[in-house]
Amino acid sequence: MKPDSVNEESIQVPETLLIVDDEAGIRRLLDRRLSREGYQCWEANTAEQALEILSATAIDLVILDVKLPGKSGIEVLPEIKTGYPDTAVIMGTVLSEMSVAVQCLKQGADDYICKPFDLDEVSLGVRRALERRSLQLQLKEYQHHLEKKVEEQTCDIRRLFLGAIESLVFALEAKDKYTGGHSRRVADMALALGSELGLSGDEMEDLRCGSLLHDIGKIAVDQRIHSKIGRLTHDEYEHIMIHAHVGARIVEPVVNDRVVEMIEHHHDHYDGSGISQVVRGGDIPLAARILAVADAFDAMTSDRPYRSAMSVKEAANEIKRCAGTHFDPVVVSAFLKTITAGVRPTRNRSVLGGVDDSHACEYGDLNGGARND
Ligand SMILES: [Fe+2]
């Protein structure tokens, strides 16, 4: 259709009318009068012909006779209103059939004019219907513009908020010389694994976002426990693990559910043996299973206050050993391929001047005296 009839550029374009009536005399009469008033007119003598013209031409308004041979005006009206919602329709009906006119209005007709036609009345009816149509189009366009604007601003606010959270993560990491650059390296590795596993563009974006924000919940962790040298007690380990849940709650208002779940479950063990774990195996979101491997790899290959970093080979062997228990075997297999291909997260991209070669967490389990927080 021709929704642009409301903007300035199209003001010069004549409005288009389709006169549908089986009586040639009436069509000609209306055509002559309305053409003189500057409208561009088409004529059809059946409903079928009217539909043909509508499918090929942008029509602003249809004058539709109720009684037509074959398909009647009442029958074709819903088809026109559904197929061409921006086209106004005025029904032509005889005065004695007011109930028909009312029925047409209920079915979406914009107005009706009575036969025999009074040309001034027709002219006025057409003008009124076109003006109403023009206002409706303007309103529609305004609403569309408004929705787009709101959507853009929501995106901007979300981006700003996410940026602030991300900065907070980096600041927290930079404050501790053992955690600088951790989230970025984890994101790099997680994306390499996601790519190896054939994740879609949207899934990769979620993975990137969740990886960068996964440790934001550490803001709620007692710093003395977080930096403790040596084995953690069960209670201390449990306390540190609240960061997954807290982190999920922090980012919940600004990220989608997939990212929230990824953060919530990033310390789940594949075999279900993790702290307060409620799902296991394939029920753990894939992104969380990927993040778990990437996170552990960075933890193991980073220095600790109480131990030196493992080599890549040692870390890879440890992750391989834990396939099926701590980690998803499919993700581990992708990880081993990635490592074999020589992919390594860059370790010299620390932000805010933080030291970029360490991590405050240690991978392992309580029995082994180690931890993965
Ligand atoms: Fe974590």
Side-chain angles (χ1 to χ4, degrees):
M1 295 314 299
K2 197 167 69 68
D4 285 343
S5 63
V6 293
N7 69 33
E8 281 182 21
E9 272 180 23
S10 58
I11 280 174
Q12 304 307 320
V13 177
E15 287 164 304
T16 48
L17 310 183
L18 173 61
I19 301 157
V20 190
D21 201 301
D22 58 322
E23 289 184 54
I26 292 180
R27 289 199 308 272
R28 271 199 296 276
L29 189 71
L30 295 181
D31 193 328
R32 251 201 315 270
R33 166 68 183 252
L34 294 166
S35 295
R36 264 208 312 271
E37 292 184 3
Y39 300 111
Q40 194 174 0
C41 298
W42 272 263
E43 293 181 27
N45 59 4
T46 62
E48 290 74 14
Q49 199 185 359
L51 288 173
E52 264 177 47
I53 294 173
L54 280 164
S55 69
T57 317
I59 298 292
D60 298 327
L61 181 141
V62 180
I63 298 174
L64 181 62
D65 190 17
V66 166
K67 283 187 178 158
L68 292 168
K71 195 184 276 187
S72 74
I74 303 176
E75 285 171 315
V76 79
L77 173 63
E79 265 181 78
I80 295 177
K81 291 311 284 185
T82 306
Y84 311 93
D86 291 337
T87 298
V89 179
I90 295 180
M91 303 301 292
T93 178
V94 291
L95 198 55
S96 58
E97 291 177 337
M98 286 314 289
S99 60
V100 174
V102 171
Q103 188 192 338
C104 291
L105 291 176
K106 282 184 183 166
Q107 288 185 343
D110 295 82
D111 203 352
Y112 65 89
I113 40 178
C114 293
K115 280 181 163 182
F117 291 135
D118 173 321
L119 290 179
D120 288 339
E121 204 180 300
V122 171
S123 178
L124 188 68
V126 166
R127 188 72 262 141
R128 223 171 27 211
L130 284 173
E131 278 170 6
R132 198 165 46 235
R133 171 182 178 272
S134 171
L135 286 173
Q136 283 165 349
L137 288 178
Q138 281 181 50
L139 187 66
K140 203 168 153 183
E141 198 175 295
Y142 177 71
Q143 278 173 337
H144 176 71
H145 177 74
L146 208 63
E147 279 167 17
K148 232 177 111 189
K149 199 87 193 144
V150 168
E151 205 176 298
E152 278 170 15
Q153 286 186 344
T154 306
C155 273
D156 284 349
I157 291 169
R158 185 168 289 144
R159 215 175 8 250
L160 278 172
F161 193 61
L162 273 176
I165 295 178
E166 211 175 299
S167 297
L168 190 58
V169 170
F170 297 154
L172 279 171
E173 289 178 356
K175 196 178 76 168
D176 183 334
K177 69 171 184 166
Y178 293 104
T179 54
H182 167 67
S183 297
R184 281 193 173 164
R185 290 193 301 273
V186 169
D188 285 348
M189 177 53 80
L191 288 174
L193 300 185
S195 173
E196 180 64 39
L197 290 164
L199 263 54
S200 70
D202 282 350
E203 288 169 327
M204 290 291 271
E205 186 48 37
D206 290 343
L207 196 57
R208 190 191 73 81
C209 181
S211 299
L212 286 172
L213 304 179
H214 75 280
D215 272 345
I216 183 66
K218 282 188 178 165
I219 203 165
V221 169
D222 186 324
Q223 193 57 37
R224 285 166 305 177
I225 298 176
H226 189 248
S227 311
K228 180 179 172 182
I229 295 175
R231 186 181 296 188
L232 296 176
T233 65
H234 180 85
D235 286 349
E236 287 169 337
Y237 186 71
E238 217 171 25
H239 169 73
I240 284 186
M241 283 301 142
I242 63 166
H243 78 270
H245 182 69
V246 172
R249 300 290 77 78
I250 290 174
V251 300
E252 201 167 29
V254 283
V255 297
N256 63 44
D257 291 349
R258 294 181 300 278
V259 175
V260 173
E261 284 186 345
M262 178 182 171
I263 294 174
E264 179 90 52
H265 294 281
H266 81 273
H267 281 292
D268 281 3
H269 293 190
Y270 189 71
D271 63 2
S273 63
I275 295 264
S276 309
Q277 196 171 328
V278 289
V279 288
R280 54 186 291 184
D283 289 336
I284 301 168
L286 175 60
R289 284 177 267 147
I290 293 172
L291 176 55
V293 172
D295 193 17
F297 175 71
D298 191 70
M300 285 188 272
T301 53
S302 297
D303 284 331
R304 291 290 176 273
Y306 42 86
R307 66 141 173 83
S308 300
M310 289 183 189
S311 68
V312 168
K313 195 177 171 193
E314 286 168 333
N317 282 337
E318 182 62 5
I319 286 175
K320 192 175 168 187
R321 185 182 72 78
C322 296
T325 52
H326 201 123
F327 304 118
D328 177 354
V330 175
V331 178
V332 171
S333 160
F335 165 76
L336 294 173
K337 273 189 204 161
T338 304
I339 286 295
T340 307
V343 175
R344 304 280 185 277
T346 312
R347 298 188 73 83
N348 58 359
R349 286 199 297 143
S350 79
V351 291
L352 305 177
V355 178
D356 194 31
D357 62 352
S358 54
H359 185 270
C361 308
E362 183 179 348
Y363 162 76
D365 56 46
L366 282 169
N367 293 334
R371 64 203 213 225
N372 176 29
D373 51 339

